[in-house]
Amino acid sequence: MARNIDGTEISRVMRAEMAQQVADLQAQGVTPGLSVVLVGNNPASQAYVSSKTRACETLGMKGQTLHLPEDVSTEDLFAAIDRLNADASVHGILVQLPLPAHLPYKAVLEHIHPDKDVDGFHPRNAGLAFVGDPRAFVPCTPAGILEMLRREDIPTRGKHVVIVGRSLIVSKPLASLLMAPGPDATVTITHRHTPDLASFTRQADILIVAVGKQNLITADMVKPGVVVIDVGQNRVEDPGSPRGYRMVGDVDFDAVSQVAQAITPVPGGVGPMTITMLLANTIQSARQALQARAP
Amino acid sequence: MARNIDGTEISRVMRAEMAQQVADLQAQGVTPGLSVVLVGNNPASQAYVSSKTRACETLGMKGQTLHLPEDVSTEDLFAAIDRLNADASVHGILVQLPLPAHLPYKAVLEHIHPDKDVDGFHPRNAGLAFVGDPRAFVPCTPAGILEMLRREDIPTRGKHVVIVGRSLIVSKPLASLLMAPGPDATVTITHRHTPDLASFTRQADILIVAVGKQNLITADMVKPGVVVIDVGQNRVEDPGSPRGYRMVGDVDFDAVSQVAQAITPVPGGVGPMTITMLLANTIQSARQALQARAP
């Protein structure tokens, strides 16, 4: 029976460490600050944003939301980002996605100063991360997965990591990080055009699934002893639950747990790590701002 | 017996097409210009640089070399690059590597304006290429390999590409390009920490080897019908040759040719494509400069 990799508990430990780092920075006169730009009134986005700013405050950081109307113009949104770029008390800027369709989201993300791009979506950060530069802000989900593996003492060197999915914000940065010197994994990236997916997933020592398709990975598709990281977030109807639905991942959790060595649950696996890494990136940005200021 | 993939012939065809593109740009008042910065007197670097500028001239482009002394200061090198960045007749800037040890080569490469970085080594271009942005200059060797596969009608969709080596300028960009929508390959990246390399190389429909180790890939390590791209460039002593040495790749060419469907020779495979793609990137840069100027 697989061990559960408990993202909530790992996050709790990390956030306790980070509260100390925040206190140390405050002693040097800097309070790490995150500004979240929220456009419109999408309820899911509002919930995400408030959980991000609340998490900041719990650690003693400054978390603020800049709420703009649904019909904000590109120019006004750029001007708002410019003000945050110029504000020395703001170390991290995040534009909550999705944006309304009239806004050019790529140009918006590129408008954030790369030194404050704690989501790691600016091409400069993608490039720095690609070449393994430590100044890069690594996107939060891949960074969280690496941190989980590290803290769970799951070695990656010489292991075969198979990634299902090829998204720009999860799978591609993960592949780049895991194959690099240090992690030293052999990495295979599979996707919708991979014939006989199971022939690849069965080779995995570590299987990372980030597609968004319930029960994509079944027990017969994995090798006994595999470590499974499930990044999927799928809503399934559940009349018994107060909200009428519950969240599941891309992996048939109950069946795969019988075969795997360790597995992340959904919810409570990768999810909590993502916000934790956002906080970590904001603290890193505050530290870099402090160092840049030093004589 | 494997078909030879003839990089010299593919380059000849491409350069004829490109000469026409250059003529079209000249008709619009723009002659694509490449400036190569050469520091010091390394004979191999001098030979590379002159083959690059000569290739420019053959196509009707402007190729110039800025030759700086071995002991040039970082400041003077930066100032020279600044002048090329500001010069509207220069569309591509390339700093020939390796640089003398006293120069910070990463900072030097980042000093080139990303819009003129035809080698594709600036973090901004690495980031744009990573996210599949068409404005990116893709590093010349990976771009050349993709172009070869395309022109030889070798499909990549649904194929398993195994890359041996994980270098930043060849393997990682290749992996990123090949797994993207369009090429749609399943990609595995292996390297020195991969145990039982042959168990991976034998799975390859397309095997790309970029390590720099003679005879790393032997006939028993490949599947019958594989396509082999050999990026290796190794000198071996050869008293019978005028220079006393000859170049070989990373693949045991004669033995693997008995098993493979198609294979690139060394020399005459990937090598000629690399300079061809440098010229292509310079023409792309000139075209983008012209478009930016248009009303």
Side-chain angles (χ1 to χ4, degrees):
Chain A
M1 189 69 189
R3 167 165 63 95
N4 252 19
I5 302 178
D6 183 344
T8 309
E9 173 58 18
I10 298 171
S11 284
R12 200 191 54 73
V13 171
M14 286 184 67
R15 291 190 195 186
E17 296 166 6
M18 284 155 58
Q20 185 55 53
Q21 295 166 11
V22 171
D24 292 346
L25 283 163
Q26 284 175 327
Q28 296 171 77
V30 175
T31 298
L34 174 70
S35 282
V36 184
V37 179
L38 172 65
V39 179
N41 300 305
N42 178 321
S45 290
Q46 286 180 314
Y48 288 133
V49 166
S50 77
S51 68
K52 287 169 185 173
T53 52
R54 257 185 295 121
C56 280
E57 284 154 18
T58 313
L59 296 194
M61 295 164 61
K62 217 177 79 183
Q64 66 175 22
T65 306
L66 182 66
H67 197 162
L68 299 171
E70 181 81 24
D71 63 352
V72 68
S73 69
T74 302
E75 295 66 40
D76 287 351
L77 176 55
F78 280 4
I81 294 173
D82 284 336
R83 283 190 295 276
L84 297 174
N85 283 339
D87 183 341
S89 76
V90 174
H91 303 100
I93 303 171
L94 176 161
V95 175
Q96 183 65 39
L97 300 178
L99 286 173
H102 71 281
L103 295 168
Y105 84 94
K106 274 192 183 180
V108 171
L109 296 180
E110 286 195 36
H111 207 80
I112 297 172
H113 193 290
D115 291 349
K116 299 189 177 188
D117 166 42
V118 286
D119 252 348
F121 293 163
H122 192 287
R124 181 171 168 87
N125 278 311
L128 288 174
F130 184 78
V131 303
D133 191 303
R135 291 170 298 170
F137 294 114
V138 176
C140 300
T141 301
I145 292 169
L146 256 82
E147 193 65 35
M148 277 181 127
L149 294 173
R150 224 176 280 136
R151 287 180 183 250
E152 291 282 305
D153 291 320
I154 296 165
T156 53
R157 173 167 296 165
K159 301 298 178 185
H160 188 190
V161 176
V162 177
I163 300 175
V164 185
R166 56 177 170 180
S167 72
L168 289 179
I169 57 175
V170 178
S171 298
K172 283 186 80 174
L174 254 179
S176 177
L177 290 163
L178 284 164
M179 78 175 76
D184 288 322
T186 302
V187 178
T188 298
I189 304 97
T190 65
H191 46 76
R192 70 180 73 235
H193 292 288
T194 299
D196 193 5
L197 180 62
S199 72
F200 291 95
T201 57
R202 274 192 213 111
Q203 295 183 38
D205 300 310
I206 299 172
L207 178 64
I208 302 176
V209 192
V211 171
K213 199 168 170 183
Q214 190 193 356
N215 287 333
L216 177 65
I217 303 299
T218 49
D220 60 311
M221 292 173 74
V222 301
K223 179 166 79 174
V226 65
V227 172
V228 179
I229 308 290
D230 188 352
V231 190
Q233 300 261 24
N234 308 293
R235 269 188 197 201
V236 293
E237 277 187 50
D238 182 358
S241 108
R243 293 178 298 190
Y245 66 87
R246 61 193 167 86
M247 302 303 290
V248 300
D250 292 346
V251 176
D252 178 352
F253 183 82
D254 292 336
V256 171
S257 290
Q258 304 295 322
V259 187
Q261 175 199 142
I263 186 167
T264 60
V266 178
V270 174
M273 296 298 291
T274 298
I275 292 190
T276 301
M277 297 314 292
L278 174 68
L279 303 173
N281 280 350
T282 305
I283 293 171
Q284 176 190 333
S285 177
R287 203 178 284 126
Q288 285 169 354
L290 185 68
Q291 282 161 358
R293 219 168 65 185
Chain B
M1 190 68 188
R3 166 167 61 96
N4 252 18
I5 301 177
D6 183 343
T8 308
E9 174 58 17
I10 299 172
S11 284
R12 199 191 55 73
V13 171
M14 287 186 67
R15 292 190 195 186
E17 296 166 5
M18 284 155 57
Q20 185 54 53
Q21 295 165 10
V22 170
D24 292 346
L25 283 164
Q26 283 174 328
Q28 296 172 76
V30 174
T31 298
L34 174 70
S35 283
V36 184
V37 179
L38 172 64
V39 179
N41 301 304
N42 178 323
S45 290
Q46 285 180 314
Y48 288 133
V49 166
S50 77
S51 68
K52 288 168 186 173
T53 53
R54 256 185 296 120
C56 280
E57 283 154 18
T58 314
L59 296 194
M61 296 164 59
K62 218 178 79 184
Q64 66 174 21
T65 306
L66 182 67
H67 197 161
L68 298 171
E70 179 83 24
D71 62 352
V72 67
S73 68
T74 301
E75 294 67 39
D76 287 351
L77 176 54
F78 279 3
I81 294 173
D82 284 336
R83 282 190 294 276
L84 297 173
N85 283 339
D87 183 340
S89 76
V90 173
H91 303 100
I93 303 170
L94 175 160
V95 175
Q96 183 65 42
L97 300 177
L99 286 172
H102 71 282
L103 294 168
Y105 83 94
K106 274 193 183 180
V108 170
L109 296 180
E110 286 195 36
H111 206 80
I112 297 171
H113 194 289
D115 291 349
K116 299 189 176 187
D117 166 43
V118 287
D119 252 347
F121 293 164
H122 192 286
R124 181 171 168 85
N125 278 311
L128 289 175
F130 184 77
V131 302
D133 191 304
R135 292 171 297 171
F137 294 115
V138 176
C140 301
T141 301
I145 291 169
L146 255 82
E147 194 64 34
M148 278 181 128
L149 293 173
R150 223 177 281 139
R151 289 180 181 251
E152 290 282 305
D153 291 319
I154 295 165
T156 53
R157 173 167 296 165
K159 301 297 179 187
H160 189 190
V161 176
V162 177
I163 300 174
V164 185
R166 56 175 171 182
S167 72
L168 289 179
I169 57 176
V170 179
S171 299
K172 284 186 81 174
L174 256 180
S176 177
L177 291 164
L178 284 164
M179 77 175 76
D184 288 322
T186 302
V187 179
T188 298
I189 305 96
T190 65
H191 47 75
R192 71 180 72 235
H193 293 288
T194 300
D196 193 6
L197 180 61
S199 72
F200 290 96
T201 57
R202 273 191 215 112
Q203 295 183 38
D205 300 311
I206 300 172
L207 179 64
I208 303 176
V209 192
V211 172
K213 199 167 170 184
Q214 189 193 356
N215 287 333
L216 176 67
I217 303 298
T218 50
D220 60 311
M221 293 173 74
V222 302
K223 179 166 78 173
V226 66
V227 173
V228 179
I229 308 290
D230 189 352
V231 190
Q233 299 262 24
N234 308 294
R235 269 188 196 201
V236 294
E237 277 187 51
D238 180 0
S241 109
R243 293 179 298 192
Y245 66 88
R246 62 192 166 88
M247 300 305 289
V248 300
D250 292 347
V251 176
D252 179 351
F253 183 83
D254 292 336
V256 170
S257 290
Q258 304 296 321
V259 187
Q261 173 200 144
I263 185 168
T264 61
V266 177
V270 174
M273 294 298 291
T274 297
I275 292 189
T276 300
M277 297 314 292
L278 174 68
L279 303 174
N281 280 350
T282 305
I283 293 171
Q284 176 190 334
S285 176
R287 203 178 285 125
Q288 285 169 354
L290 185 68
Q291 283 161 356
R293 218 169 65 185

